[in-house]
């Protein structure tokens, strides 16, 4: 039985992905991304995730004549 | 002329799979150095960070895990201007990479991310639409000085550490206002036991927790 509040959520997974790929991993060339548009990376993934969720909710609330799909979700997130 | 965009380092027994593609759909190639291979793509210029490219980078770095091989993930944006640079750098680092691969062999990374739902959340903010940064600054200011919130995060990190016990070989903790991100290096055969241990944690209903992974061991690659 899962503890209250414990669940896998796509938005937190996205935050985890962005945080890892941009802010961790070994360095060779020495150039790193410290923040994007002044937003610290631990929050950046979260901001993208929030945007993703909000973008999907907006699309769900209106008819989609052409079918946006994942590409549209990614465009909303960037 | 093209530079070399680097993804990861693997043991020399694992060449890049034929037909695999990475950033901007470019082929994933590999360079052999003593005991290791560096997976890379030839690109015209150093790519900027977009969500699509971040996903493409991780997609390549995660391929070795499907072959029961733990790679050394490289951070997004590792770029060398020429192939000669790549050859030289690979020879320079090969010995240390071999040692790191031996440390990471048979393991993967699992993440636990906790987010505290404050009085205002993405759905509760009544302001007109804000830029992403302004929105986050608003949330951060509302939690500023919240020593109690930070103490809760510290407490949750300690509880997590106790819950997973010896399953975590190494730990990496990051904390922001209202956010806790913990990474653990875990042997691949212990992934299910780790998840079960985290699910047994008692958490408050205003704390959202997610276990993610298995990931390549980004947090333990440096």
């Amino acid at each position: 039985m899962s503890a209250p509040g414990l669940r896998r959520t796509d938005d937190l997974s996205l935050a985890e992905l962005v945080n890892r790929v941009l802010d961790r991993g070994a360095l060779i060339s020495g150039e790193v991304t410290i923040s994007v548009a002044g937003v610290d990376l631990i929050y950046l993934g979260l901001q993208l995730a929030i945007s993703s969720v909000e973008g999907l909710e907006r699309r769900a609330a209106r008819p989609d004549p052409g079918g946006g799909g994942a590409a549209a979700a990614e465009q909303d997130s960037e | 002329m093209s530079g070399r965009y680097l993804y990861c380092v693997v043991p020399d027994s694992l060449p890049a799979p034929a037909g695999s593609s990475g950033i901007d759909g470019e082929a994933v190639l590999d360079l052999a150095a003593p005991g290791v291979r560096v997976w890379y793509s030839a690109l015209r210029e150093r790519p900027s960070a977009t969500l699509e490219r971040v996903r493409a980078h991780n997609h390549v770095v995660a391929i070795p895990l499907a072959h029961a091989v733990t790679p050394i993930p490289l951070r997004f944006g590792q770029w060398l201007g020429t192939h000669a640079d790549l050859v030289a750098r690979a020879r320079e680092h090969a010995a240390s990479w071999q040692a790191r691969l031996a440390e990471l062999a048979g393991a993967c990374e699992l993440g636990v991310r906790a987010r505290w739902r404050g009085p205002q959340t993405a759905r509760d903010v009544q302001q007109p639409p804000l830029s992403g940064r302004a929105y986050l600054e608003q949330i951060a200011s509302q939690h500023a000085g919240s020593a109690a919130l930070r103490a809760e995060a510290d407490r949750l990190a300690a509880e997590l550490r106790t819950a997973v016990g010896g399953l975590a070989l190494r730990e990496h903790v990051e904390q922001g206002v209202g956010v806790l991100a913990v990474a653990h290096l875990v042997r691949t055969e212990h992934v299910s036991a780790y998840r079960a241990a985290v699910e047994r944690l008692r958490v408050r209903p205003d704390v959202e927790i997610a276990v993610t992974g298995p990931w390549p061991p980004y947090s333990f690659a440096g």
Side-chain angles (χ1 to χ4, degrees):
Chain A
M1 181 177 295
S2 299
L6 175 62
R7 62 192 173 102
R8 295 192 63 178
T9 58
D10 289 343
D11 57 343
L12 291 181
S13 292
L14 179 59
E16 289 276 89
L17 168 69
V18 172
N19 202 194
R20 274 175 173 75
V21 174
L22 290 184
D23 199 31
R24 305 183 196 173
L27 301 174
I28 288 184
S29 71
E31 205 163 330
V32 302
T33 303
I34 300 173
S35 66
V36 176
V39 179
D40 291 341
L41 291 177
I42 191 170
Y43 295 111
L44 177 63
L46 192 60
Q47 185 266 326
L48 289 173
I50 291 171
S51 299
S52 297
V53 171
E54 291 176 339
L56 289 169
E57 288 177 342
R58 280 196 298 274
R59 268 194 301 287
R62 67 171 186 261
D64 184 1
E74 288 203 8
Q75 195 168 17
D76 273 3
S77 305
E78 294 185 3
Chain B
M1 289 290 281
S2 61
R4 300 294 181 258
Y5 179 88
L6 312 181
Y7 298 101
C8 60
V9 179
V10 299
D12 61 2
S13 59
L14 188 64
S20 52
S21 60
I23 299 281
D24 298 343
E26 294 294 332
V28 179
L29 309 170
D30 66 73
L31 171 77
V36 301
R37 288 181 189 266
V38 181
W39 288 14
Y40 70 93
S41 287
L43 301 180
R44 271 192 289 274
E45 60 184 11
R46 184 173 184 265
S48 59
T50 67
L51 190 55
E52 183 178 1
R53 286 172 175 159
V54 165
R55 286 191 165 126
H57 179 98
N58 183 65
H59 168 75
V60 174
V61 176
I63 289 175
L65 291 182
H67 296 265
V69 171
T70 302
I72 300 173
L74 299 179
R75 194 175 305 191
F76 185 94
Q78 300 310 292
W79 171 263
L80 295 168
T82 67
H83 194 74
D85 288 341
L86 174 57
V87 172
R89 207 66 69 97
R91 287 180 182 155
E92 176 187 348
H93 290 280
S96 64
W97 285 341
Q98 281 189 71
R100 183 54 55 90
L101 285 169
E103 291 172 5
L104 298 174
C108 61
E109 179 172 326
L110 290 169
V112 178
R113 181 174 283 250
R115 184 169 64 190
W116 276 256
R117 301 187 195 94
Q120 285 82 18
T121 66
R123 291 164 185 77
D124 295 338
V125 173
Q126 300 299 318
Q127 308 279 347
L130 301 172
S131 69
R133 179 178 180 180
Y135 169 78
L136 287 175
E137 285 178 343
Q138 180 185 67
I139 295 296
S141 69
Q142 288 157 355
H143 290 286
S146 176
L149 192 65
R150 293 183 191 280
E152 283 181 41
D154 289 339
R155 190 161 43 245
L156 180 58
E159 288 176 9
L160 175 63
R161 201 172 291 127
T162 299
V164 301
L167 296 176
L169 304 174
R170 291 174 60 184
E171 180 178 272
H172 175 94
V173 180
E174 276 185 53
Q175 189 181 138
V177 178
V179 173
L180 173 69
V182 178
H184 282 134
L185 187 68
V186 177
R187 294 203 59 80
T188 53
E189 63 265 30
H190 294 157
V191 168
S192 295
Y194 180 95
R195 288 185 182 284
V198 177
E199 288 183 2
R200 286 193 292 269
L201 271 179
R202 294 175 164 224
V203 294
R204 292 166 41 170
D206 63 340
V207 180
E208 183 180 353
I209 289 184
V211 178
T212 64
W215 301 97
Y218 287 95
S219 304
F220 308 103

